[in-house]
Amino acid sequence: MILWVLYDVAEDRARGRVARHCKQAGLYRVQYSVFLGEVTADERDALRLEIEDLIDPDHDKVYLFTLTRKELKQAILLGQAFDRKLVTAQVRELFL
Amino acid sequence: MILWVLYDVAEDRARGRVARHCKQAGLYRVQYSVFLGEVTADERDALRLEIEDLIDPDHDKVYLFTLTRKELKQAILLGQAFDRKLVTAQVRELFL
């Protein structure tokens, strides 16, 4: 499954850790606080638990969406939603 | 189809207009800059064009994801991702 992780985390250290855990789960950065990649349901669930431990539930916001490849291609990213400088070939390949 | 709209729009007036257009398209507010609802493909495409006209493509970010009901139920919302004060019965019903 394809997983999008979008987050709004106030505290710098926590935000850095969330990004690190997303990378360790094999996701690719799409924007400063947006990651994307293919994971198993178990990997998604493990990442969820890790992120839950890192964030301040009273202030921070995190969205984890699973999409099919077809839906990924229908995803609409406007403006700077997709930072070309950050996006690797692997991510572009997911969209083609 | 179920549509999520998540946006990061810097300028207050533009941000307000994006929210208004999301409401006019029949979406419900889930968080200050997150809307959700059931729309047709044409309604999604029309909303996309409206939003494109409203935002500053060099700074703002907007994500439009279409999900199935099943995927919506698998969507993981952590922390304040889902502001219970804002969320109407219609939105909760989508998740059940």
Side-chain angles (χ1 to χ4, degrees):
Chain A
M1 70 180 55
I2 289 173
L3 179 68
W4 280 93
V5 178
L6 301 91
Y7 54 86
D8 179 357
V9 173
E11 206 258 322
D12 291 346
R13 230 165 33 156
R15 194 171 52 248
R17 287 198 183 121
V18 168
R20 223 171 5 263
H21 281 261
C22 287
K23 275 182 218 156
Q24 285 162 358
L27 302 184
Y28 299 99
R29 190 166 231 149
V30 167
Q31 190 30 290
Y32 282 103
S33 51
V34 182
F35 280 79
L36 162 72
E38 285 196 285
V39 294
T40 64
D42 289 345
E43 288 166 336
R44 175 202 55 195
D45 296 343
L47 180 58
R48 178 228 174 105
L49 294 174
E50 291 161 17
I51 291 176
E52 267 181 323
D53 284 347
L54 295 171
I55 64 167
D56 169 1
D58 296 330
H59 295 96
D60 296 338
K61 306 170 193 88
V62 185
Y63 300 84
L64 295 93
F65 294 119
T66 48
L67 305 179
T68 61
R69 276 239 173 179
K70 190 178 154 232
E71 282 159 345
L72 176 64
K73 291 182 174 42
Q74 292 175 343
I76 298 168
L77 309 173
L78 303 179
Q80 295 303 305
F82 195 90
D83 186 334
R84 294 198 192 295
K85 293 188 302 302
L86 292 175
V87 165
T88 62
Q90 291 94 332
V91 173
R92 267 193 220 101
E93 184 270 328
L94 280 172
F95 277 90
L96 303 180
Chain B
M1 67 181 57
I2 288 172
L3 179 69
W4 280 94
V5 179
L6 302 92
Y7 54 85
D8 179 358
V9 174
E11 205 258 322
D12 292 346
R13 229 164 39 155
R15 193 171 52 249
R17 287 199 184 120
V18 168
R20 219 169 12 261
H21 280 262
C22 286
K23 276 182 216 156
Q24 284 162 358
L27 303 184
Y28 299 99
R29 189 165 232 148
V30 166
Q31 188 35 286
Y32 281 104
S33 51
V34 182
F35 280 79
L36 161 72
E38 285 194 285
V39 295
T40 64
D42 288 346
E43 287 165 338
R44 174 203 56 196
D45 296 342
L47 180 58
R48 177 228 175 106
L49 294 174
E50 292 162 17
I51 291 176
E52 268 182 322
D53 285 345
L54 295 170
I55 64 167
D56 169 1
D58 296 329
H59 295 96
D60 297 338
K61 307 170 193 91
V62 185
Y63 300 84
L64 295 92
F65 294 119
T66 46
L67 304 180
T68 61
R69 277 238 174 182
K70 189 179 154 230
E71 283 158 343
L72 176 64
K73 292 183 175 39
Q74 294 176 342
I76 298 169
L77 310 173
L78 304 179
Q80 296 302 307
F82 194 90
D83 188 332
R84 297 204 186 291
K85 293 188 301 304
L86 292 174
V87 167
T88 62
Q90 291 93 332
V91 172
R92 267 193 222 102
E93 183 269 326
L94 280 173
F95 277 89
L96 303 180

